[in-house]
Amino acid sequence: MDKLLIRGGVPLAGEVRVSGAKNAALPLLCAALLTDQPLRLANVPHLRDVTTMLGLLAQMGVEVNVDEQMCVELNGAHLRNPVAPYELVKTMRASILVLGPLVARHGQARVSLPGGCAIGQRPVDQHLKGLAALGADIQVEQGYITARARRLQGARIVADLVTVTGTENLMMAACLAEGTTVIENAAREPEVVNLAACLNAMGARIAGAGTDVITVEGVRELGGASHRIMPDRVETGTFLVAAAATGGTVALRDADPATLDAVIGKLREAGAEVGVDGATIRLAMRGRPQSVDVRTAPYPAFPTDMQAQLMALDAIATGAGVITETIFENRFMHAQELARLGADIDISGNTAIVRGVPRLQGASVMATDLRASASLVIAGLVAEGETLIDRIYHLDRGYEAIEEKLARLGARIRRVH
Ligand code: UD1
């Protein structure tokens, strides 16, 4: 199994390009199931989760063509097997995103229940409740969700909590329903907006994406489209935090600064100078950061997907920071690994108190999930000596060529087999 070896202590310096967003790419790939026309997606990130999703769609009968620039063309005209098996769903929960499109256009779907995952329970009850409201007949048996419908009917859906993929699933399904669907308490994440833009280009009639009330007027069918995937705001944030933690100076090209207000705000509070120039974000940090308090919440608040990285920053800051995780119940597993590098972190329930220490020391650590891995990389870049990070397949799920990009910024990092 691959590991990452980092010799820390080098301030990051230079320029890198931000990749397309994983969390936008995954629902957008599933949108191909809504039409028998070709859907062309540009700026698709080269990631394991994307490969998994392409594999899932291909085994359903979607034709997939990928060119060398990672432009992906999908054609769902000849779908034969509307099934998402456990073997794939358990490796990537976002596979649930095939459910809405399948039942909306093909009248049936069989999708494995995702089950638990490292960062918490993560049920899909809101997806199912919404689809049932749209008239789908949903059965859960032997670990599989079976959904059937002749044609979905528009409905008013009030989500019990804000769910990103839940909103996306229902928005996609509602596109082909008869009549109007209103999704209340919808997720406002930029990835939802990016998906809605693509669906509208395919002929859907969606209004309100980016607010908490999304209205979808159903249409008979959707056509093809060409769409560019938005920049990855979590990758952008991760590189910004890495630069701040190492006392570096970086420029990130092809970013979408407007999607990063909460993260940039916290970095400024920590003492970083952050400037925005069109699609480029520059960050410069002198000296140790000051600790910051963070509370995760749905967009536009501070994202849970940046919580672990910010903990690494607080770990070497002056003062103490309080980090509160409100989205997932078990998302502090990186704290124990950061402690192996010398961090001083106390956890109580969903709150972590991070007392900054002047320096971290390299050690062997274990990645437990995608964003936890990113926090260990950041800590390793700061730590004195060598840090060896095991189980980096988590990182490969969501960060395109992370060690190449960091090496380009001067980090001493390499993959060992
Ligand atoms: C998406 C992101 C993930 C991010 C998360 C929160 C993708 C592919 N993944 O995941 O990176 O960390 O949003 O910003 O976009 N919940 C329920 N019932 C449901 C659905 C969700 O109780 O039916 C709960 C979850 O357990 C969690 C909270 O709602 O506590 C938010 O989860 P949700 O927004 O659905 O996360 P994902 O869409 O899976």
Side-chain angles (χ1 to χ4, degrees), residues 135-417:
D137 172 29
I138 311 257
Q139 308 289 335
V140 178
E141 45 200 14
Q142 292 161 345
Y144 275 79
I145 305 158
T146 308
R148 281 198 185 80
R150 289 189 58 149
R151 185 171 178 203
L152 296 176
Q153 301 293 317
R156 178 163 169 261
I157 301 167
V158 184
D160 295 338
L161 45 79
V162 178
T163 156
V164 180
T165 50
T167 300
E168 292 164 345
N169 229 341
L170 298 176
M171 190 169 78
M172 287 193 278
C175 287
L176 293 179
E178 189 175 3
T180 303
T181 298
V182 179
I183 307 171
E184 295 195 32
N185 201 19
R188 292 181 283 170
E189 266 66 3
E191 291 76 14
V192 175
V193 180
N194 203 228
L195 173 65
C198 178
L199 294 169
N200 281 342
M202 293 164 72
R205 300 175 68 180
I206 302 170
T211 76
D212 60 0
V213 182
I214 296 177
T215 305
V216 186
E217 270 180 59
V219 296
R220 264 262 157 228
E221 56 182 27
L222 294 178
S226 292
H227 177 81
R228 187 173 174 81
I229 293 175
M230 64 178 281
D232 197 311
R233 61 194 170 101
V234 184
E235 187 200 25
T236 311
T238 301
F239 277 84
L240 290 175
V241 174
T246 58
T249 307
V250 297
L252 302 181
R253 271 187 295 118
D254 293 351
D256 185 353
T259 61
L260 279 142
D261 286 347
V263 172
I264 290 174
K266 284 296 161 188
L267 285 164
R268 285 187 175 137
E269 222 181 294
E273 273 173 46
V274 185
V276 169
D277 177 11
T280 300
I281 306 178
R282 292 174 209 285
L283 178 142
M285 182 81 178
R286 275 180 216 96
R288 266 174 85 187
Q290 290 145 31
S291 60
V292 289
D293 295 342
V294 163
R295 184 184 177 83
T296 66
Y299 190 84
F302 193 89
T304 174
D305 284 350
M306 284 299 301
Q307 178 260 104
Q309 298 88 316
L310 212 90
M311 190 181 286
L313 186 73
D314 269 352
I316 47 112
T318 56
V322 178
I323 298 182
T324 312
E325 171 59 56
T326 76
I327 307 285
F328 294 114
E329 68 267 29
N330 187 24
R331 207 173 195 181
F332 281 147
M333 280 163 317
H334 42 282
Q336 282 175 18
E337 300 299 310
L338 290 172
R340 289 181 53 75
L341 302 172
D344 179 356
I345 304 169
D346 274 335
I347 307 264
S348 167
N350 70 343
T351 303
I353 297 174
V354 189
R355 291 180 203 84
V357 295
R359 59 187 64 83
L360 299 175
Q361 239 118 46
S364 290
V365 289
M366 187 109 80
T368 49
D369 71 62
L370 172 55
R371 306 307 171 184
S373 320
S375 81
L376 297 177
V377 170
I378 293 169
L381 292 171
V382 177
E384 290 170 354
E386 283 191 351
T387 297
L388 186 64
I389 308 179
D390 199 354
R391 302 210 176 154
I392 56 156
Y393 53 83
H394 292 293
L395 267 182
D396 296 332
R397 286 188 42 207
Y399 287 94
E400 184 171 63
I402 188 166
E403 72 269 28
E404 283 165 36
K405 287 188 180 185
L406 286 170
R408 214 170 298 145
L409 296 174
R412 293 175 295 191
I413 181 168
R414 71 188 165 86
R415 190 176 283 252
V416 289
H417 299 291

